[in-house]
Amino acid sequence: MKRGRTANEANSSSSEDTTEKESKRHKIVERKSTIVQSPDWANLLQDIILQVFQYLPLLDRAHASQVCRSWNQVFHMPDLWRCFEFELNQPATSNLRTTHPELIKQIIKRHSNHLQYVSFKVVDSSKESAEAACDILSQLVNCSLKTLGLISTARPSFMDLPKSHFISALTVVFVNSKSLSSLKIDDTPVDDPSLKVLVANNSDTLKLLKMSSCPHVSPAGILCVADQCHGLRELALNYHLLSDELLLALSSEKHVRLEHLRIDVVSENPGQTQFHTIQKSSWDAFIKHSPKVNLVMYFFLYEEEFDPFFRYEIPVTHLYFGRSVSKDVLGRVGMTCPRLVELVVCANGLRPLDEELICIAERCKFLSAVGLGECEVSCSAFVEFVKMCGGRLSQLSIMEEVLIPDQKYSLEQIHWEVSKHLGRVWFPDMMPTW
């Protein structure tokens, strides 16, 4: 027969149950307390903080670095200083943003050997700001840059400097950076000897070179680059540096296929610039070697200076006319530019371009982007042009003032007809009313 519990046993059991329940309650409270407590931000993994810092602007990053020692350590990690843009102007005469001098000193002292992707943006036209950029360049003796860009948002900047001073600073980077792959030095006094230094130290790695408006470089200087830098894929230069020898060097079996070639055809003084002619055989060799290259040409010429151009087939894909261009020249474009993808005409005059547009539509089978500024086209010819090009015209920017109503179409009717042939809703651009 089962014996019942005594009063002492019952009391003891009740006490044990109470103690166990109390212990469990304390554990639950402790767990909840742990959950609701704020995390210790100072002890977050550094790689997580680093990822957060990479999304912050420089000023916010600097403020965040003052939160604690751990965050300050992350602020100075090399990964955050591989890419940097120096913005330079004279605070005394400008309200534009500039990189603080103390920060520049810290970068040179602690992070110059970490820099890999660097640009200098001179945001005013002062000689002092360009000198400051050269001063920083000359101190990057421990760097190994992969990209370097010198940008003047207000000319002339670098061109105001003594050439020897600029070359000396730039040579420091060319000599110490053995893996430079991208170089943008438009509007600078770079010269042939400095390009030879560039080639001697970075010929195996250079892939992009932009150097439009560099008057101290000769065709022989740029030819030296093409002859030695066989990995060059993108090149931008002025037309006076283009030669048959350069195109043939870019077309040699040793050279990789060029992907992008930009040529600026610029004349500052009408009648005083003599433009040479590139042989058709050189263009043929070039396009045979690099059949998918984008050949971009910007023309800033006066009407009487176009005679050497568009006389025979040229493999241009993107064509921009920054000044007024005649009907005759546009007619030749249709006959000589079968690879044309984009055409922008800023101005033409008061003679309608009906026949010229129709010719371009007939012969330029890859045309997909068109922009017309101060030109005139009859509505009927424009509709016919769009009909011939069809839905491949992904970009069509035409000012309403360009279109001349005729017996077939009014301005109110034309957008419906054009939209029908494009396969999407289209309206001509409107001039702002302010």
Side-chain angles (χ1 to χ4, degrees):
M1 186 173 178
K2 191 173 181 180
R3 181 173 64 87
R5 293 189 303 172
T6 63
N8 288 337
E9 290 174 335
N11 289 337
S12 176
S13 176
S14 176
S15 177
E16 290 175 0
D17 291 344
T18 302
T19 302
E20 185 178 355
K21 289 179 180 179
E22 190 68 21
S23 176
K24 289 181 179 180
R25 187 178 70 81
H26 280 300
K27 288 181 180 179
I28 292 173
V29 171
E30 287 176 0
R31 281 202 300 269
K32 288 183 177 180
S33 176
T34 302
I35 293 173
V36 299
Q37 280 180 352
S38 298
D40 187 354
W41 296 106
N43 292 326
L44 280 176
L45 293 175
Q46 283 193 336
D47 59 342
I48 297 177
I49 305 174
L50 178 62
Q51 291 180 36
V52 173
F53 271 38
Q54 287 174 337
Y55 287 98
L56 294 178
L58 178 62
L59 187 59
D60 293 341
R61 194 186 301 169
H63 289 157
S65 70
Q66 300 174 19
V67 169
C68 61
R69 181 179 299 176
S70 176
W71 284 30
N72 187 263
Q73 290 174 349
V74 173
F75 178 69
H76 290 290
M77 290 180 69
D79 285 351
L80 287 178
W81 299 98
R82 302 198 192 284
C83 178
F84 194 84
E85 180 177 80
F86 294 92
E87 294 184 296
L88 303 169
N89 71 70
Q90 300 306 299
T93 58
S94 173
N95 294 322
L96 298 172
R97 186 171 60 180
T98 186
T99 305
H100 197 279
E102 288 300 319
L103 177 59
I104 294 175
K105 290 180 182 179
Q106 286 293 315
I107 292 173
I108 293 173
K109 180 180 179 181
R110 302 184 63 169
H111 302 294
S112 62
N113 60 325
H114 303 147
L115 294 173
Q116 293 184 2
Y117 311 94
V118 175
S119 63
F120 292 83
K121 182 183 290 185
V122 178
V123 295
D124 59 11
S125 58
S126 70
K127 179 180 178 181
E128 292 77 10
S129 296
E131 286 178 338
C134 288
D135 182 57
I136 298 170
L137 274 175
S138 64
Q139 297 181 65
L140 300 182
V141 293
N142 296 321
C143 70
S144 184
L145 299 187
K146 293 184 178 180
T147 70
L148 173 64
L150 302 180
I151 305 165
S152 296
T153 58
R155 297 178 183 180
S157 296
F158 293 104
M159 292 303 300
D160 275 348
L161 299 177
K163 189 176 76 167
S164 59
H165 178 46
F166 176 83
I167 296 300
S168 175
L170 192 62
T171 302
V172 170
V173 176
F174 289 173
V175 169
N176 290 282
S177 299
K178 304 298 185 182
S179 57
L180 195 62
S181 64
S182 176
L183 180 62
K184 301 178 182 180
I185 47 174
D186 295 337
D187 300 295
T188 64
V190 63
D191 60 5
D192 290 359
S194 59
L195 288 182
K196 290 183 179 179
V197 176
L198 167 70
V199 170
N201 291 277
N202 300 273
S203 62
D204 293 335
T205 58
L206 191 65
K207 295 181 179 179
L208 181 151
L209 177 60
K210 291 186 63 178
M211 46 179 300
S212 295
S213 302
C214 296
H216 300 296
V217 175
S218 72
I222 192 65
L223 180 60
C224 172
V225 177
D227 274 336
Q228 302 297 321
C229 301
H230 297 144
L232 195 66
R233 296 181 181 275
E234 297 185 41
L235 179 62
L237 68 163
N238 281 81
Y239 185 80
H240 78 272
L241 295 179
L242 187 68
S243 64
D244 294 291
E245 293 80 9
L246 177 62
L247 288 177
L248 293 176
L250 295 171
S251 307
S252 69
E253 292 183 1
K254 295 180 180 179
H255 205 287
V256 300
R257 291 183 174 88
L258 207 67
E259 296 174 358
H260 190 94
L261 175 61
R262 169 174 168 162
I263 303 170
D264 292 344
V265 192
V266 182
S267 172
E268 300 294 343
N269 302 305
Q272 298 184 18
T273 304
Q274 297 295 322
F275 291 98
H276 59 285
T277 300
I278 301 296
Q279 299 298 318
K280 184 178 184 301
S281 58
S282 302
W283 283 121
D284 290 344
F286 173 70
I287 204 65
K288 181 179 180 180
H289 180 72
S290 302
K292 296 183 179 180
V293 66
N294 285 320
L295 175 57
V296 183
M297 299 188 74
Y298 283 80
F299 281 86
F300 297 91
L301 301 184
Y302 296 93
E303 187 170 327
E304 61 272 19
E305 297 174 314
F306 275 100
D307 188 64
F309 301 98
F310 307 111
R311 291 299 179 182
Y312 52 79
E313 191 171 299
I314 181 173
V316 61
T317 55
H318 298 72
L319 189 54
Y320 306 90
F321 293 101
R323 292 177 182 157
S324 181
V325 58
S326 68
K327 281 172 61 69
D328 176 61
V329 170
L330 288 176
R332 283 159 31 201
V333 166
M335 301 295 292
T336 59
C337 304
R339 298 180 73 245
L340 195 61
V341 173
E342 182 173 7
L343 173 66
V344 175
V345 181
C346 290
N348 165 256
L350 301 178
R351 298 176 62 191
L353 300 176
D354 294 6
E355 297 85 358
E356 290 71 24
L357 278 184
I358 297 301
C359 177
I360 289 171
E362 286 177 342
R363 295 179 175 270
C364 303
K365 302 298 185 181
F366 304 102
L367 190 67
S368 61
V370 175
L372 299 179
E374 297 179 12
C375 307
E376 287 191 355
V377 181
S378 72
C379 286
S380 294
F382 182 66
V383 169
E384 183 63 20
F385 167 78
V386 175
K387 182 179 179 180
M388 294 173 69
C389 293
R392 74 169 187 267
L393 280 176
S394 58
Q395 298 180 44
L396 186 60
S397 179
I398 310 294
M399 298 301 297
E400 187 179 58
E401 290 75 13
V402 170
L403 300 171
I404 308 302
D406 52 29
Q407 294 181 347
K408 195 169 183 180
Y409 297 104
S410 66
L411 289 177
E412 289 74 22
Q413 296 170 318
I414 193 169
H415 76 88
W416 293 108
E417 194 67 21
V418 171
S419 298
K420 180 178 68 176
H421 295 299
L422 289 179
R424 65 180 188 277
V425 177
W426 178 87
F427 288 92
D429 298 332
M430 303 291 291
M431 188 70 71
T433 56
W434 60 80

